[in-house]
Structures are given as structure tokens and as C-alpha cells.
């Protein structure tokens, strides 16, 4: 297994370096905002997407530790991985757990080939931290469902081929009941995407309006009404990866190679950051091993996300201060990182919500 991990790490590193050598420009947070279908296809051609999936669907049947090695290498250089990230990280595993054979056969090989791009349609104006409050409705009609509602903060929806959607199909006694998951073609009539500009003025988020969108029955993912139980499984994959630690890592590499002279106090801060990074990598390894062991490490993933996103922001602020102390203008990477950092502790679960989740699980343990 160690050999397989080393082999895929070396393959990812070599592709990442080739990408840099041929003009690629690493950015902070580029796993989420940078979308380059050609780069994703080159990873696909080397078998680096769908690493953990069964061979019968074109996967490599490797463990999450191997996937961790690949994702670390891509994050290390700030490569643009948004075209395949969501499909590889959580839609594929969700299809493997809950999809029909037909859905698996349609989507898994296409994700592995870098041919489909998924956006996540979870959040709504009144349902973010309280995700179970979604009001988007999927009403049963002959042959499928008619969907109406509004999703917000949908990253990369303007470049996606498909939308994962959490919607309400039934009314239950509790808001967590009656939710269902769907896979929707972005070019379906009635899907309207409008940009929401972020702090940097970039178009990364969207509002997605769904007006009477007809979704065939075979695009229901899993069991009708079990959407909450299913989506919770997705969140462990969404929170437990190294992208919650390494979004600003390219700054550290750049700082170390820029030869800035650091004061003793700054050297102490840098030492502390590097020690935190080592501890976070250890935690990420633990989450990957737990997933490989068939566990659902919800609490560990939440803890990694909470501590990791604090690290990402602290690192960006440290590098900003280090440049300021020398009077040298910071590189564009620093601006990228600072402007995207307010979102780190919110997306994928706000800090307070994760801490409550950890505390609740701790109390139950
Ligand atoms: C960069 C980025 C990318 C995103 N991409 C996507 C995407 O692709 N798809 C998608 O569906 N969504 C996406 N989101 C949305 C994200 O999931 C939500 O912003 C997040 O869940 C918080 O929801 P909210 O914005 O509605 O804030 P709210 O839920 O209104 O929370 C606001 C604040 O209130 C506090 N708070 C809320 N509830 C509690 C509580 N129970 N206990 C204590 N404090 C609480 C927290 O401080 C929280 O930050 C993205 C967000 C960001 C920042």
C-alpha cells in the first residue's frame, strides 16, 4: 500500500510541476475557484481521479490515504482543480453508496474522465448552517419531479454540467424528514444561473433559480425522503480533506523561497505555523485511515476543518505581516489568500456549528 501511495503522489507531483513549468500560475484557494478542464483531464489521463472507486467503474480501488497524497500535491502548488473536485470528493462516493447501477454507469466513468463538472446546490437564502431548512420543492409528477426554488453561493454553477440538489419532496414532522437528493443537468429548461461577485470582484459563486424544472425519476439519488441521512454522509468527505488546511499553502512555499529576512519574533510565529501544519497533516491522515476502515469520522472531520481553516487564515496573515515588515510589496498570492480567507471558516460548515457538532458528539461518547 505504501508503494501505491508513493506512486500516486509522485505522479501527481510530476503533473503539478509540469503544469507550473508550462505557464500554470498557482493561486490560493484554487481547488475551489480555479477551474481548468484541460488540467483535470490530464489528471484523469494518469488515473488520478476516482482513485478510491471500484475498478469496475474505471476507478483504481485504492484507499483514501492514496487520495490524500494526490490532493496534497495539487494543493501544494495551488493547482486549478475545481472542474473535478466536487465530483471526485463527494458526488462519486455518494453515487457508490446510494446510486442505482444506471446512475453509477452514467456518472462515475464521466467524473473519472474529467468530463462532467458538478456544482453543489445545498445552501438557500434561509438554509445555510441550518441546512435541513431547505424549502426548494421537488413535487412528484408523472415520470419524475417538478423542482422550484432558489439556491445561493453555488460555487462554479456557471461552469458546471450538473447540479447536485437537496430539495424537499415530502413534509415530515421534523424538518430533517422529507428531503431528497437529485442530479440535475444544468441545461435543463428552467435552470437560471446568475453571478454573485465575491470580495475580490471575481465570479465564483452563483444564485441558481429553478423554475418548474422537470427532473426525470431516474435522477433521484438514493431513497426519496432519506436525503438528510444521505447528505450527512457527504459532509464527512466535504470537511475531512486537506483542502481545509492547504488553501493558502502556496504562500508558505513562496515566502520560504523569497528569502525575506524574518525577525526572531516572526521566526517564532513561522515555527509555530509549521508545527501546526505537521499536526494537521497527521489529523488529515487519521480521517483518511478512518474512512478506509469503513468508519464515518464526522467529529474528526469537523475538528480538522475547524482547526485547518484557522491555520489557513493565520498563515495568510503571517505572510502579509512578514512582507509588510520588510517594506516589500506582497505577491498577488497574498491578496488572493486574504480576500478569500473570510469564506474559509464559513463554507462547508461555520466554525460555531462545527464546534457544537463536536461538543454534542463528545457528550454522547
Ligand atoms: C467560499 C464559499 C463557497 C461556498 N460554496 C457553496 C456551494 O458550492 N454550495 C452551497 O450549497 N453552499 C456553498 N456555500 C455556502 C455555505 O455552505 C454557507 O455559507 C454556510 O453553510 C453558512 O450558511 P449561511 O451563509 O446561510 O450563514 P448562516 O447559517 O446564516 O450563519 C451565519 C453565522 O451565524 C452563526 N451561526 C449560525 N448557526 C449557528 C448555530 N447553530 N450556532 C452558533 N452559531 C451559528 C455562525 O457564525 C455563522 O457563520 C459557500 C460559502 C462560501 C463562503
Amino acid at each position: 500500500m505504501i508503494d501505491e501511495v508513493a506512486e500516486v503522489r509522485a505522479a501527481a507531483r510530476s503533473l503539478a510541476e509540469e503544469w507550473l513549468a508550462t505557464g500554470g500560475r498557482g493561486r490560493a484557494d484554487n481547488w475551489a475557484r480555479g477551474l481548468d478542464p484541460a488540467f483535470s483531464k490530464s489528471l484523469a489521463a494518469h488515473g488520478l481521479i476516482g482513485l478510491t472507486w471500484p475498478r469496475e467503474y474505471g476507478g483504481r480501488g485504492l484507499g483514501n490515504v492514496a487520495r490524500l497524497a494526490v490532493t496534497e500535491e495539487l494543493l501544494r502548488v495551488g493547482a486549478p482543480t475545481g472542474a473535478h473536485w466536487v465530483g471526485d470528493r463527494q458526488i462519486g462516493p455518494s453515487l457508490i453508496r446510494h446510486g442505482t447501477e444506471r446512475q453509477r454507469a452514467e456518472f462515475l466513468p464521466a467524473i473519472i474522465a474529467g468530463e462532467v463538472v458538478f456544482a453543489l446546490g445545498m445552501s438557500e437564502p434561509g438554509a445555510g448552517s441550518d441546512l435541513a431548512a431547505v424549502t426548494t420543492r421537488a413535487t412528484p409528477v408523472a415520470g419524475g419531479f417538478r423542482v422550484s426554488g432558489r439556491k445561493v453561493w453555488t460555487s462554479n454553477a456557471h461552469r458546471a454540467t450538473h447540479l447536485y440538489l437537496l430539495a424537499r419532496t415530502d413534509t415530515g414532522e421534523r424538518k430533517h424528514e422529507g428531503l431528497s437528493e437529485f442530479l440535475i443537468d444544468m441545461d435543463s429548461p428552467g435552470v437560471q444561473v446568475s453571478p454573485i461577485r465575491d470580495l475580490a470582484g471575481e465570479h465564483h459563486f452563483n444564485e441558481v433559480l429553478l423554475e418548474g424544472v422537470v427532473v426525470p425519476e431516474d435522477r433521484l439519488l438514493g431513497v426519496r425522503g432519506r436525503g438528510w441521512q444521505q447528505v450527512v454522509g457527504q459532509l464527512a468527505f466535504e470537511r475531512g480533506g486537506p483542502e481545509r488546511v492547504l488553501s493558502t499553502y502556496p504562500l508558505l512555499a513562496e515566502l520560504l523561497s523569497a528569502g525575506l529576512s524574518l525577525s526572531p519574533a516572526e521566526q517564532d510565529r513561522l515555527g509555530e505555523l509549521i508545527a501546526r501544519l505537521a499536526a494537521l497533516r497527521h489529523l488529515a491522515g487519521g480521517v483518511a485511515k478512518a474512512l478506509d476502515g469503513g468508519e464515518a469520522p464526522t467529529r474528526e472531520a469537523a475538528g480538522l476543518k475547524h482547526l485547518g481553516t484557522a491555520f489557513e487564515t493565520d498563515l495568510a496573515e503571517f505572510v502579509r505581516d512578514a512582507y509588510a515588515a520588510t517594506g516589500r510589496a506582497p505577491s498577488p498570492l497574498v491578496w488572493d489568500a486574504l480576500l478569500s480567507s473570510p469564506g474559509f471558516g464559513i463554507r462547508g460548515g461555520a466554525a460555531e456549528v462545527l464546534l457544537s457538532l463536536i461538543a454534542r458528539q463528545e457528550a454522547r461518547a
Side-chain angles (χ1 to χ4, degrees):
M1 185 185 85
I2 301 224
D3 285 347
E4 283 167 349
V5 174
E7 184 201 315
V8 293
R9 184 185 286 283
R13 181 172 292 195
S14 140
L15 281 178
E17 281 168 4
E18 190 182 309
W19 173 75
L20 286 176
T22 51
R25 189 174 75 83
R27 292 189 69 185
D29 205 31
N30 222 16
W31 64 269
R33 48 186 69 227
L35 203 138
D36 179 348
F39 182 65
S40 290
K41 286 205 167 96
S42 77
L43 293 168
H46 288 81
L48 296 176
I49 302 179
L51 274 184
T52 59
W53 306 353
R55 288 176 184 274
E56 63 195 281
Y57 301 114
R60 299 267 296 263
L62 300 178
N64 281 283
V65 174
R67 183 171 181 275
L68 172 66
V70 168
T71 45
E72 275 192 343
E73 291 303 320
L74 301 174
L75 293 161
R76 203 167 61 82
V77 300
T81 53
H84 69 274
W85 202 265
V86 167
D88 182 46
R89 177 180 70 186
Q90 64 198 88
I91 302 300
S94 226
L95 281 160
I96 291 165
R97 282 185 186 177
H98 308 294
T100 60
E101 267 314 311
R102 189 171 157 183
Q103 288 170 341
R104 291 179 189 151
E106 178 180 358
F107 286 108
L108 295 179
I111 296 173
I112 284 172
E115 280 164 4
V116 292
V117 178
F118 270 96
L120 289 176
M122 295 183 187
S123 307
E124 295 182 4
S129 305
D130 186 10
L131 184 58
V134 300
T135 58
T136 292
R137 276 224 151 261
T139 309
V141 293
F145 298 82
R146 189 179 294 277
V147 176
S148 294
R150 188 150 66 107
K151 295 288 170 180
V152 279
W153 314 124
T154 323
S155 302
N156 296 324
H158 56 305
R159 300 187 67 185
T161 57
H162 293 82
L163 179 74
Y164 158 88
L165 182 89
L166 184 67
R168 194 163 291 286
T169 41
D170 305 274
T171 37
E173 274 179 31
R174 296 172 62 238
K175 63 186 172 190
H176 300 84
E177 294 167 8
L179 295 170
S180 301
E181 299 183 298
F182 296 92
L183 306 171
I184 296 187
D185 293 5
M186 286 305 286
D187 59 6
S188 307
V191 178
Q192 202 183 311
V193 179
S194 324
I196 302 176
R197 299 271 162 200
D198 66 13
L199 265 184
E202 289 183 18
H203 178 190
H204 156 68
F205 300 125
N206 299 275
E207 176 184 86
V208 180
L209 198 60
L210 301 133
E211 283 184 315
V213 179
V214 174
V215 181
E217 202 155 22
D218 65 5
R219 289 302 176 86
L220 169 71
L221 175 60
V223 181
R224 176 172 156 184
R226 296 274 303 165
W228 181 254
Q229 290 80 352
Q230 293 177 195
V231 74
V232 166
Q234 257 191 67
L235 296 180
F237 286 103
E238 188 174 344
R239 291 175 179 156
E243 66 270 35
R244 305 306 183 177
V245 178
L246 299 176
S247 296
T248 58
Y249 180 85
L251 272 70
L252 180 60
E254 187 191 72
L255 177 88
L256 295 176
S257 61
L260 289 192
S261 113
L262 300 176
S263 69
E266 285 163 348
Q267 287 177 27
D268 284 353
R269 266 177 88 187
L270 177 60
E272 189 211 312
L273 284 165
I274 290 175
R276 280 167 67 189
L277 175 59
L280 288 163
R281 286 189 72 205
H282 182 72
L283 284 180
V287 170
K289 283 182 194 141
L291 288 170
D292 286 343
E295 295 169 41
T298 321
R299 184 175 46 170
E300 293 76 3
L304 176 69
K305 202 235 156 204
H306 178 60
L307 297 172
T309 54
F311 167 81
E312 292 176 326
T313 304
D314 290 350
L315 175 60
E317 291 177 356
F318 166 71
V319 176
R320 175 200 60 196
D321 295 349
Y323 273 102
T326 62
R328 268 172 68 175
S331 77
L333 269 183
V334 180
W335 296 118
D336 273 354
L338 289 172
L339 290 175
S340 45
S341 64
F344 296 165
I346 299 174
R347 63 181 174 193
E352 294 82 353
V353 174
L354 297 179
L355 288 173
S356 301
L357 184 155
I358 294 166
R360 268 199 310 274
Q361 292 215 359
E362 203 69 46
R364 269 190 230 129

